[in-house]
Amino acid sequence: MLPNPLPFLSCLYLFHVPHVLSLSLTSTGGSLMLGDVPYYVPATPYTTLSSHGLNRLQTVNGLAPVTVVSVTASNNSVGSLGSIVGGFAADDVWNTGFLEGLLVLYTGSGYEPRYFSNSVSLSGSNQSSTIVSIRTNGSRTIPNGPYLVSSSGALYQPYRLYSDFAGAFTQPLIPGPNDSYAALPAALPGIESSAIGVPSRLYYTKTANKPLAGVRLGVKDIYDIAGVKTSDGNRAVYGFYPPKTANSVPVQRLIDAGAIIVGKMKTSQFANGEMATADWVDYHSPFNPRGDGYQDPSSSSDTGGSIRGPSQVQGLFGNRPSHGLVDLTGVMPLAPELDTAGFFEAATIILSFLNKLQTFLNAKSTPLNLTTSWAASKPASAPASLATFLNLTYPIIISKEQTRLVRDPFFAAYAAVHDGRKPFVDPSPSIRWAFGDSYPASALTEAQNNKTVFMQWFNSNILLNNSRTCSESLLLYSAGLNVAYRNQYKPPPPVPFGFSTSRISVFAEVPDVVVPIGQASYNSTITGHVEVLPVTVDILAAKGCDGMLFNLVEDLTAAGILKATQTGRTIAGGEILLKRGMVGL
């Protein structure tokens, strides 16, 4: 049994007072410590059980930590309980404090689990657990895992609280009523330590219909979530518009597949690229935990590279899908025609990966000079220089489209309420919008035509579809090793002129997957020490061949050529420098 008092020594309950004249108290749940691990307990129980036998559990403030185990006639022995519970140790929400009690649930009518005593010490556990057997009616499945139970039978699923040490979230979320979401009403001690609550993965089982069951998801704050405001990275937008009434289509599809929304995450303002730290005014840029902890995290939609950029600098798997593959209803637009949800050491790593990939695919690689290929086979009416042809295409499209779809309606509505005033906007979107304003409306039509010409040329000459393999070939490129300190003073954010390899998938509408392939060292001016940063490669395939790329990544991982990245200072893990509190999701 646990010593008295129980290992969670204090409980904090929060109450909301909606109106002084008609006073009412509404519980929003509470936070507690189990041992040295913080948890949030929601106000509404997951279900209510029979209270028979629950009075044998030791409680504090009416709650006892328990582990729920469902059994059948064939696996209700003490040994079976030990085997089941032994697999819970890998879960980050469950801990041995939940072995204060074992709630053994059964639904069968022809048997009842019987044990020799009211308590048991499971194999591998150094503590005694009070056993309570409860027959359920089977009307609702109660998954195994950690719970808190009251003496009256109210059963709660706790959320473990983690610190947002990198400052990546705008607000943590928990499920609310009617399939909506609400702010997590819990906090952790410490400076800038917002709490992120996560449920146990033991509650979820992956199926063909729920392949993402239990996968925790942070949503960029340009995607609508029911019950929650969308800020687009702008304080005026957040304060002006009401909470959304429906999830955006991409978010809803992820939820339908089983993903668990844990919060909204910071975005560069209006999804325009911003560099840490000077470009971020309304909100502070998140920290990149890799290397010395003071590298730019890159901006977070992939219109120009905001999925691939963060993936490249933080060594993550990232994907820009074929354009049009994902319905973006309920997502703030930048440009609908583009939107879609030690250098030598780095070169050696890239060449090594290329050799392994050639062997794995039994294929040959050839260097590609896109400028030369364009000049040799371009449409007759297009100029010989690809850089000249596409120099203004991206900045014209994003600035013209976003001023029409986002800025103008927002500014007009804001001015009508605030006596003609304008809201504050960060430098990066302001500069881009002003650039677009300096060009006539006809410039947008020309830019869209240029994008279409390039897309048709590229998809007919470079990455062709193939009836057998989907994509006749693959195109690879790498950003190399990207050292970009966030503490350096920088010039004003520029207009994003030009064309580069990162814009290929943007204009050609082809899928582009980022894969981490290793890490390279650099001499950090922050720590005065040799640190390491990720090295990644982008792989492009013909339009519509997204599934082919996903299968390739899965096969390369199974073959050991690619490896799953870990949380921490390096892609292999390790303690994060300058972290603020508990970490890991």
Side-chain angles (χ1 to χ4, degrees), residues 232-234 268-283 398-399 402 407 411 423-436 490-496:
D232 299 337
N234 181 274
S268 55
Q269 196 167 96
F270 297 109
N272 285 266
E274 294 182 313
M275 293 287 291
T277 298
D279 293 348
W280 291 71
V281 179
D282 265 356
Y283 299 102
I398 65 168
S399 61
Q402 193 169 60
R407 184 197 67 180
F411 276 25
F424 172 79
V425 175
D426 276 359
S428 183
S430 294
I431 289 171
R432 294 181 178 195
W433 293 347
F435 166 78
K490 298 176 177 68
V495 175

Side-chain angles (χ1 to χ4, degrees), residues 36 52 68 72 92 153 156 165 178 237 271 412 432 461 477 563 581:
D36 59 355
H52 177 71
V68 166
T72 63
D92 63 334
Y156 298 88
F165 72 96
N178 302 318
V237 168
R432 294 181 178 195
N461 291 271
Y477 72 90
K563 293 180 173 61

Side-chain angles (χ1 to χ4, degrees), residues 8-351:
F8 52 90
L9 300 180
S10 62
C11 295
L12 173 64
Y13 284 84
L14 307 178
F15 295 88
H16 173 59
V17 183
H19 201 287
V20 175
L21 296 180
S22 57
L23 181 65
S24 66
L25 294 176
T26 302
S27 173
T28 57
S31 55
L32 53 79
M33 298 286 291
L34 181 55
D36 59 355
V37 181
Y39 292 89
Y40 165 75
V41 184
T44 304
Y46 178 77
T47 191
T48 300
L49 302 171
S50 165
S51 61
H52 177 71
L54 294 179
N55 60 346
R56 292 191 283 108
L57 295 172
Q58 190 176 2
T59 64
V60 168
N61 288 350
L63 295 175
V66 296
T67 295
V68 166
V69 181
S70 295
V71 300
T72 63
S74 62
N75 72 340
N76 61 21
S77 67
V78 171
S80 296
L81 291 180
S83 298
I84 296 172
V85 174
F88 294 174
D91 182 66
D92 63 334
V93 177
W94 184 88
N95 68 58
T96 55
F98 288 99
L99 287 177
E100 162 67 11
L102 280 174
L103 292 191
V104 180
L105 306 184
Y106 65 100
T107 58
S109 59
Y111 77 97
E112 178 180 351
R114 295 187 180 276
Y115 304 99
F116 293 112
S117 66
N118 290 331
S119 64
V120 65
S121 294
L122 299 180
S123 175
S125 171
N126 59 2
Q127 68 184 85
S128 179
S129 302
T130 299
I131 290 185
V132 178
S133 299
I134 298 178
R135 185 192 301 274
T136 63
N137 59 20
S139 61
R140 183 176 188 183
T141 300
I142 303 174
N144 292 348
Y147 290 82
L148 290 140
V149 67
S150 72
S151 57
S152 62
L155 191 67
Y156 298 88
Q157 291 185 335
Y159 290 73
R160 179 173 179 174
L161 299 179
Y162 283 105
S163 170
D164 179 19
F165 72 96
F169 286 82
T170 57
Q171 55 181 324
L173 299 175
I174 56 173
N178 302 318
D179 296 323
S180 67
Y181 288 81
L184 170 71
L188 292 173
I191 184 171
E192 297 186 49
S193 293
S194 296
I196 307 300
V198 299
S200 170
R201 293 187 177 97
L202 297 173
Y203 304 149
Y204 308 96
T205 301
K206 289 181 171 60
T207 65
N209 292 328
K210 300 282 186 181
L212 300 181
V215 173
R216 299 161 185 170
L217 181 67
V219 178
K220 181 180 177 181
D221 201 8
I222 65 170
Y223 291 80
D224 290 349
I225 294 180
V228 183
K229 290 187 173 187
T230 298
S231 79
D232 299 337
N234 181 274
R235 293 200 303 166
V237 168
Y238 183 85
F240 187 77
Y241 291 111
K244 303 299 180 179
T245 58
N247 296 321
S248 65
V249 171
V251 169
Q252 187 59 54
R253 288 181 177 176
L254 290 166
I255 293 172
D256 292 343
I260 308 302
I261 306 297
V262 300
K264 276 206 158 186
M265 305 189 74
K266 289 180 181 176
T267 172
S268 55
Q269 196 167 96
F270 297 109
N272 285 266
E274 294 182 313
M275 293 287 291
T277 298
D279 293 348
W280 291 71
V281 179
D282 265 356
Y283 299 102
H284 195 54
S285 171
F287 284 84
N288 180 349
R290 305 300 196 192
D292 53 36
Y294 279 84
Q295 297 298 307
D296 187 273
S298 188
S299 294
S300 38
S301 77
D302 196 305
T303 300
S306 50
I307 289 174
R308 292 164 293 150
S311 297
Q312 290 164 352
V313 302
Q314 295 177 77
L316 306 173
F317 290 87
N319 172 56
R320 175 191 167 91
S322 293
H323 183 75
L325 186 66
V326 180
D327 184 337
L328 296 181
T329 301
V331 184
M332 185 218 68
L334 179 55
E337 53 268 67
L338 304 180
D339 288 343
T340 178
F343 301 105
F344 177 77
E345 184 179 3
T348 301
I349 294 170
I350 294 167
L351 289 174

